[in-house]
Amino acid sequence: VQLQASGGGLVQAGGSLRLSCAASERISSIVSMGWYRQAPGKQQRELAASIVSGGRTNYVDSVKGRFTISEDNAKNTVYLQMNSLKPEDTAVYYCNIVARKTWGPLANYWGQGTQVTVSS
């Protein structure tokens, strides 16, 4: 399974972007879908937003009220709508899908990353 992320770009502070992450094939038994981000100079990725089976969403405090994660199961796609963007949102954004397999540990799929740059 391949995840293809898109929608990043350069935007001014206060602007909006919508990220998309499409899976190359249908993924069954999804446990969670999320968007991580890695800011410049930071070694670790931060979980910005996630949605778990059943539809419950979670957001890091810094994006609450501005970002919205959603999914379209028919299109095997997860989205991240980002509004009121701030320079501190500048990062490479990675999509992630975790799913149960018939045997063995959970499957962990990653997209290739899409750059979001917010200018002040």
Side-chain angles (χ1 to χ4, degrees):
V1 177
Q2 306 292 324
L3 300 185
Q4 182 67 44
S6 61
L10 173 64
V11 64
Q12 288 188 331
S16 298
L17 285 173
R18 188 194 195 203
L19 306 184
S20 299
C21 177
S24 58
E25 59 188 83
R26 182 167 180 79
I27 301 173
S28 59
S29 303
I30 290 176
V31 174
S32 67
M33 295 183 286
W35 286 95
Y36 287 75
R37 63 185 185 179
Q38 188 168 6
K42 297 285 185 68
Q43 289 192 337
Q44 288 190 332
R45 296 178 185 180
E46 172 188 57
L47 178 58
S50 65
I51 182 167
V52 299
S53 60
R56 182 168 56 88
T57 57
N58 296 286
Y59 300 93
V60 68
D61 285 347
S62 59
V63 309
K64 285 180 180 177
R66 300 188 297 121
F67 290 12
T68 303
I69 187 171
S70 61
E71 59 179 329
D72 184 335
N73 288 329
K75 296 182 179 180
N76 302 319
T77 301
V78 58
Y79 304 97
L80 185 67
Q81 178 66 44
M82 305 185 295
N83 298 328
S84 302
L85 282 161
K86 303 176 181 180
E88 50 263 44
D89 295 318
T90 295
V92 178
Y93 284 71
Y94 298 89
C95 56
N96 170 260
I97 294 178
V98 178
R100 293 188 186 87
K101 298 188 295 185
T102 304
W103 301 101
L106 295 173
N108 202 359
Y109 305 106
W110 289 94
Q112 84 282 10
T114 185
Q115 176 71 48
V116 171
T117 303
V118 185
S119 63
S120 57

